[in-house]
Amino acid sequence: MDPVHALQDARPTPFWLDDPGRPEPRPALVGTTRCDLLVVGGGYSGLWTALIAKERDPSLDVVLVDGHEVGWAASGRNGGFCESSLTHGLANGHERWPGELARLERLGEQNLQAMEDAVKRYGIDCDWERTGALTVATEPHQVDELHGFAELAARYGTELTPLDAAAVRAEIDSPTFLGGLWDREGVAMVNPARLAWGLKRACLERGVRIHEHTPAVALTASGPGIAVRTGYGRVLAGKVALATNAFPSLLRRHRPYTVPVYDYALMTEPLTADQLAAVGWRGRQGFSDSANQFHYVRLSADNRILWGGYDAVYHYRGRVRAEHDRRPETFATLARHFARTFPQLEGLRFTHAWGGAIDTCTRFSAFFDLAHGGRVAYAAGYTGLGVGATRFGAEVMLDLLAGERTERTALEMVRRKPLPFPPEPVRWAGITATRWSLAQADRNAGRRNLWLRSLDRLGLGFDS
Ligand SMILES: Cc1cc2nc3c(=O)[nH]c(=O)nc-3n(C[C@H](O)[C@H](O)[C@H](O)COP(=O)(O)OP(=O)(O)OC[C@H]3O[C@@H](n4cnc5c(N)ncnc54)[C@H](O)[C@@H]3O)c2cc1C
């Protein structure tokens, strides 16, 4: 039977948000309010910014507004791989900042540990599991690539455990696995929506004033501060942190730096004990395969399998739209790939299928900026790896707003911005050519065509 039948009852909504524990939204802002710091955006980026601002100075008056609900966007619908990498993986970091990557790796490890500590300190019930993650090879050429990757990691002091086919299958059993690498320390699995909701609660307990269904529609200088117009009111703030991810920036000049690229995922029903035994997976690690078009896969707390990735879809003129969250052809592709990977789970059904926008930039890792004489900070561009890195980005925004020179603000990664995307239609043509070429490379034992090699030379190359 076509594996697509397993999607018949799947609800087109993110599994993590379909949770009876989803908190009620806080009332929208009506009228004018004043504060020391306004945070725009209630995903991880904004929530960490508000929370850490209060930790640094409890007397600071902090307001956070979200145009919809806290945690509804990428932060509530992602794979929940919380990685220490701040650079969208070691290979990308090595490509761009070899001189400071050792420092970036250390800061990333500290950041992940600080997250784990905060989850404990605030009692955030988000199924945090420090399982690590596997990268698996499913094509012969990827086995060699993984060896090369382990050597690169060792140069930066990260020990990854190499696994041959038998060893990787002893962890998670799939006939498609030819080898793997296990990062035991650098990744935690988390229930993403509950992390966001827990951060929201922690913010409220610390006195952050949160207004949901409160879109910020315009930002202007106002005396010594900044005025931000919202749906029903206005915030007069000393300083502003913009944490709006893939949504259009309130600062027009920042818009060309990111494009929304859609990523999709499926969730199965919970596995029975026998089904789980047929896969093994006692270590509960997340895993991803190592193609350019890769899948990311993990268990939920109630032993469902999240199966996401592969397609990365850019729509002409790049808008964030609810209708892009559903893409039956991608869901069908994912269901077929799942069946090929886990033939022993034939008959297992999917309960949820969804998508969401990723704020892709040309260097695939976050960038930062100040505007309005240092009164407005901005962080975006996390691409597909923002669950952990957004906390670091929050610290950077607060350092920048404080005008402090810290180890973070001294980084070249923080001081320099990526190249912006060209305007349409060149943007669409370039992204489409890149996607097509990456798929071709996967079919050609990883060989990169002229287009990808040219991008690599320009420092714009994507390598999963
Ligand atoms: C399907 C999917 C899977 C992913 N998997 C992973 C993963 O496994 N690991 C990983 O590290 N990363 C993953 N990511 C990326 C990760 O989820 C993001 O990098 C991260 O959540 C970004 O957080 P954020 O706060 O910047 O953005 P968001 O969570 O998108 O929050 C931005 C918020 O800003 C609000 N907003 C925007 N504009 C305005 C405005 N003008 N006024 C008021 N509010 C506004 C929005 O309503 C939204 O709530 C995934 C992303 C997707 C979509």
Side-chain angles (χ1 to χ4, degrees), residues 21 88 103 105 110 119 171 174 185 200 217 222 226 231 258 348 356 372 427 431 461-462:
H88 209 273
R103 191 174 314 153
E105 287 288 289
Q110 288 168 358
V119 163
E171 293 297 329
S174 166
E185 293 295 324
K200 174 183 175 180
V217 289
S222 168
I226 299 291
T258 57
L348 189 70
H372 288 277
R427 173 182 301 192
I431 294 171
F462 181 76

Side-chain angles (χ1 to χ4, degrees), residues 40-46 65-69 72-75 77-81 214-216 243-245 247 250 263-264 296 354 356-359 382-388 390:
V40 181
Y44 303 138
S45 180
V65 296
D66 195 285
H68 191 60
E69 279 182 30
W72 76 281
S75 298
R77 61 183 65 211
N78 63 70
F81 282 61
T214 301
T244 52
N245 195 36
F247 299 85
L250 285 172
D263 185 39
Y264 297 90
Y296 52 88
W354 71 95
I358 276 172
D359 61 335
Y382 293 95
T383 311
L385 211 63
V387 176
T390 41

Side-chain angles (χ1 to χ4, degrees), residues 227 262 281 453 461:
Y262 276 79
W281 221 332
R453 291 201 307 276

Side-chain angles (χ1 to χ4, degrees), residues 110-127:
Q110 288 168 358
N111 182 61
L112 183 62
Q113 191 54 49
M115 280 183 80
E116 186 164 312
D117 296 345
V119 163
K120 279 199 197 118
R121 192 165 64 249
Y122 291 107
I124 297 176
D125 174 16
C126 62
D127 303 322

Side-chain angles (χ1 to χ4, degrees), residues 188-434:
M189 293 294 130
V190 65
N191 177 318
R194 288 195 185 177
L195 174 61
W197 299 333
L199 290 172
K200 174 183 175 180
R201 179 178 53 74
C203 282
L204 291 169
E205 285 169 4
R206 287 247 167 186
V208 176
R209 294 186 279 143
I210 296 180
H211 294 287
E212 291 170 84
H213 297 294
T214 301
V217 289
L219 179 154
T220 47
S222 168
I226 299 291
V228 172
R229 188 156 54 81
T230 63
Y232 305 133
R234 192 168 61 130
V235 186
L236 299 173
K239 294 190 172 159
V240 177
L242 297 176
T244 52
N245 195 36
F247 299 85
S249 173
L250 285 172
L251 299 175
R252 196 166 274 279
R253 70 178 158 101
H254 284 151
R255 294 187 188 169
Y257 287 98
T258 57
V259 294
V261 170
Y262 276 79
D263 185 39
Y264 297 90
L266 308 179
M267 187 66 107
T268 71
E269 60 191 339
L271 272 65
T272 62
D274 284 349
Q275 285 168 328
L276 194 57
V279 189
W281 221 332
R282 282 178 300 277
R284 301 184 55 81
Q285 323 86 326
F287 80 84
S288 53
D289 45 47
S290 37
N292 290 306
Q293 289 189 286
F294 65 96
H295 304 88
Y296 52 88
V297 190
R298 57 162 296 185
L299 289 171
S300 66
D302 61 350
N303 293 329
R304 298 162 185 266
I305 298 177
L306 180 145
W307 180 263
Y310 193 73
D311 276 343
V313 181
Y314 174 71
H315 296 274
Y316 187 68
R317 286 193 192 284
R319 301 257 157 76
V320 182
R321 290 244 166 85
E323 68 252 33
H324 297 330
D325 293 352
R326 300 174 187 190
R327 195 162 193 269
E329 60 267 49
T330 294
F331 297 151
T333 303
L334 285 170
R336 293 195 177 104
H337 292 178
F338 180 87
R340 202 183 309 148
T341 304
F342 293 126
Q344 66 273 50
L345 297 180
E346 192 184 351
L348 189 70
R349 298 177 74 78
F350 296 104
T351 57
H352 296 77
W354 71 95
I358 276 172
D359 61 335
T360 301
C361 71
T362 57
R363 69 183 198 194
F364 315 112
S365 42
F367 61 90
F368 311 91
D369 203 6
L370 279 172
H372 288 277
R375 285 169 292 173
V376 179
Y378 174 77
Y382 293 95
T383 311
L385 211 63
V387 176
T390 41
R391 187 193 170 282
F392 174 82
E395 298 251 33
V396 172
M397 281 203 282
L398 292 170
D399 291 351
L400 290 172
L401 285 173
E404 280 172 17
R405 187 173 165 85
T406 62
E407 186 180 20
R408 288 178 287 261
T409 59
L411 291 165
E412 189 191 335
M413 182 206 176
V414 170
R415 286 185 287 110
R416 296 238 168 107
K417 291 220 294 294
L419 283 177
F421 286 94
E424 299 288 16
V426 179
R427 173 182 301 192
W428 186 83
I431 294 171
T432 305
T434 306

